[in-house]
Amino acid sequence: MNNVKLLLKANIINSFGANKFLKESSKSEKMKMILLAVVILWAIIAVFGSAFAYFNMISDVLVQFNALSMLLVISFINISVVSLFMSIYKASGYLFSFKDFDLLMSLPVKTSEVLICKLLLLYIANFMITIVMGLPSLIVYGIRSSSGVTYYIFAIIAMFFISLFPMIIGAVFSFIVGKISSRFKSTNLAMIIGSFALILLIMIGSNFIGNVTPEFIQDITGLMDIISNAYFPIKLYVNALVSIDIVSLTGFILTAIVPFLALVYIFSKSFKSINSKMNESFKASNYKMESLRVSSPLKSLFKKELSFYFSSHVYVLNTAMGMVMMTILTIGIAIFGGDKVAQFLELPMMGEFIVPVIMAIVSMCVCLNCTTSSSISLEGRNFWIVKSLPIDPIEIIKSKILVNLTIIIPILIINTLILAVSLRIILIQYLLFLAITVLYAFLISMIGIIVNLHLPKLEWKSHVEIVKQSASSMISMLAGAISVVIPIFLYISLKPENFNVFSVLVVLGLLITNIILWIIIKTKGVKILNLL
């Protein structure tokens, strides 16, 4: 266990950048880190406060039905679904895409200890979700039920194990996909397809789970029985906290720990072989020397960037979800129609609001697709090689922006055409729809590259650290979301009579913003790139 502690300590220090902060000599860099920490802390507090208000509101209704214990059930289900989704979303990156695999395998540590360390890192990420989503409900229940000190002790202990079982399920799925992928030459393609399929199944399933009618809620006993039979740890969890039963608490802890130990024992035997096979590269055996093709610097850089993008399933999985969600929405509307999809998603897409709402959703999906926010950081320590080439630095930036546009625009055009036909959008509205969403593609591409130039992280062990956990990725996503929310807020506030005129103004605003961002990239951005 000492080896596990050392590995875990090293990974946590590296992930949070503690050494970098302590040894950083530049005051401006330290200030950036402090401001980022303050923003993240503020976001956590805001989400925690919102969750507390939400569960407090639900408790008012549940008290009327004499079913306050349902608050614990609702909280448990929410945490489990989110943890399962996040585990499937992240597990492949934690378990199969770490750069220091060869280094760790050369150390005098057991494979099982390396696996435990990686799983604990995934658990810590999920535990943050438990604190934000689970702790408010436990506090509200304790206040409403006038529980004693023993309840809070039991609640704190139980909270450490809520997300463990969903994490194990997600890790098992990830191992299965990894095992299957390792049997193919195109391991990344297999991992991408398998991971997307699992995530989509979870998203569809969670929508069906969420469609519980008020009449069904009234039958609390029946609902409890159904949920407990489907996922028995809930019964142990609720009974442990409601009845302050140490036997139920022990049983609940065992349902989390025993599968975890079984997972480590079973998969530690194939952990090394799966990673080794996934790191293999295949070359054509019938290679023949032919005339060399000559390409422009931009085209060559673009090919390199695109090849690197599809070589990392973690990179693809975390930056293409917006396009996948857009395509699912488009297929749903094409098959079932806008009204039925609106009812299923509980969106106000009725009458004249269909086009504005669809435009907002598609724009948000576009802004979720940002490869540029981590493209500089992913160059790592080898970035000097690209910088030393006899090319204009702006070409490097252009190639990274072009990759994001190449992924977004073809899919965007196809989806918007299908949406236009399905919803019978007139030509002028479609052209404005396309113009706004394409401009958003340029906007998020440039925002991502600007943020990553200011907040690069060239030292990392896994793509997960850059694509999922870096400040650049989070800030870029937040900036993209804000850029979509602003026109929505203006539309709701101003209530324009002519939506086409409003759309033209949005197009002009986005066009001007894109021009300003490009000027910033060509001037300040190039200078920062040269200093990296």
Side-chain angles (χ1 to χ4, degrees), residues 57-100:
M57 180 183 65
I58 290 178
S59 66
D60 291 334
V61 178
L62 294 176
V63 167
Q64 297 175 10
F65 289 105
N66 194 27
L68 188 60
S69 61
M70 275 298 297
L71 188 69
L72 300 175
V73 176
I74 294 168
S75 170
F76 194 102
I77 293 173
N78 286 340
I79 294 169
S80 298
V81 171
V82 175
S83 294
L84 179 59
F85 178 82
M86 294 303 292
S87 295
I88 293 174
Y89 193 55
K90 291 183 174 183
S92 59
Y94 278 94
L95 301 174
F96 302 122
S97 297
F98 47 99
K99 197 168 83 171
D100 57 347

Side-chain angles (χ1 to χ4, degrees), residues 31-40 43 367-368 370 372-374 443-444 446-456 466-483:
M31 187 56 65
K32 282 183 184 178
M33 294 178 187
I34 292 170
L35 288 174
L36 179 62
V38 170
V39 170
I40 293 172
C367 288
L368 288 174
C370 185
T372 54
S373 62
S374 49
L443 181 74
I444 192 62
M446 288 191 282
I447 286 175
I449 204 75
I450 290 171
V451 174
N452 200 201
L453 283 169
H454 283 85
L455 296 170
I466 304 303
V467 181
K468 296 179 180 178
Q469 301 171 353
S470 67
S472 177
S473 296
M474 290 187 286
I475 292 172
S476 298
M477 188 178 293
L478 180 63
I482 291 172
S483 69

Side-chain angles (χ1 to χ4, degrees), residues 128-386:
M128 299 301 173
I129 298 169
T130 305
I131 293 174
V132 174
M133 296 182 64
L135 189 57
S137 65
L138 293 172
I139 295 172
V140 170
Y141 179 84
I143 294 171
R144 290 282 183 162
S145 62
S146 302
S147 299
V149 177
T150 309
Y151 159 78
Y152 289 101
I153 295 172
F154 274 43
I156 291 170
I157 294 171
M159 191 172 65
F160 282 93
F161 300 94
I162 298 174
S163 62
L164 191 56
F165 195 75
M167 185 205 76
I168 293 167
I169 297 172
V172 169
F173 277 129
S174 181
F175 267 112
I176 292 170
V177 172
K179 187 71 173 177
I180 295 170
S181 302
S182 65
R183 297 179 182 274
F184 295 93
K185 288 187 176 181
S186 301
T187 54
N188 282 298
L189 179 61
M191 282 293 291
I192 290 166
I193 294 172
S195 299
F196 271 128
L198 287 172
I199 290 170
L200 292 176
L201 284 173
I202 295 296
M203 290 173 66
I204 293 168
S206 62
N207 272 310
F208 281 111
I209 291 172
N211 292 330
V212 181
T213 61
E215 293 79 11
F216 195 57
I217 291 177
Q218 292 180 18
D219 188 8
I220 300 298
T221 306
L223 181 60
M224 282 287 292
D225 290 338
I226 291 172
I227 293 174
S228 298
N229 291 331
Y231 191 48
F232 70 92
I234 296 180
K235 195 169 187 177
L236 295 171
Y237 171 77
V238 173
N239 193 49
L241 297 185
V242 173
S243 305
I244 314 298
D245 185 1
I246 193 168
V247 176
S248 296
L249 180 63
T250 305
F252 173 68
I253 293 171
L254 289 174
T255 58
I257 292 178
V258 172
F260 179 80
L261 296 176
L263 174 72
V264 172
Y265 176 76
I266 293 169
F267 286 106
S268 60
K269 297 179 180 180
S270 57
F271 178 70
K272 185 186 292 185
S273 62
I274 292 173
N275 274 285
S276 297
K277 288 180 180 179
M278 292 186 71
N279 287 329
E280 289 178 353
S281 58
F282 295 87
K283 301 294 182 183
S285 59
N286 60 342
Y287 176 78
K288 294 180 181 179
M289 188 66 180
E290 297 178 355
S291 58
L292 296 176
R293 296 178 183 177
V294 179
S295 300
S296 65
L298 179 59
K299 188 176 180 180
S300 299
L301 288 169
F302 170 71
K303 286 180 179 179
K304 180 188 79 72
E305 291 291 332
L306 196 63
S307 176
F308 174 76
Y309 176 74
F310 286 108
S311 70
S312 172
H313 66 274
V314 174
Y315 200 5
V316 175
L317 188 63
N318 287 272
T319 55
M321 186 54 68
M323 294 298 99
V324 173
M325 292 169 65
M326 183 200 302
T327 304
I328 293 171
L329 177 67
T330 302
I331 293 170
I333 290 175
I335 296 173
F336 303 108
D339 292 338
K340 288 186 178 179
V341 172
Q343 291 174 6
F344 180 73
L345 297 176
E346 299 181 359
L347 293 172
M349 294 167 51
M350 308 301 291
E352 60 177 333
F353 294 106
I354 290 179
V355 176
V357 172
I358 288 293
M359 191 179 292
I361 293 173
V362 172
S363 298
M364 189 63 76
C365 288
V366 169
C367 288
L368 288 174
N369 204 103
C370 185
T371 62
T372 54
S373 62
S374 49
S375 60
I376 298 290
S377 297
L378 286 171
E379 294 284 353
R381 296 177 181 177
N382 295 326
F383 193 32
W384 67 270
I385 298 174
V386 178

Side-chain angles (χ1 to χ4, degrees), residues 9 16 44 53 96 107 138 234 254 412 424 452 482 488 497 518:
K9 181 181 178 181
F16 288 96
I44 291 171
F96 302 122
L107 294 175
L138 293 172
I234 296 180
L254 289 174
L412 178 62
R424 297 177 183 177
N452 200 201
I482 291 172
I488 295 173
E497 295 181 3
W518 181 242

Side-chain angles (χ1 to χ4, degrees), residues 482 484-496 502:
I482 291 172
V484 177
V485 169
I486 290 172
I488 295 173
F489 175 77
L490 292 173
Y491 182 76
I492 294 171
S493 301
L494 300 175
K495 298 177 182 178
F502 179 80

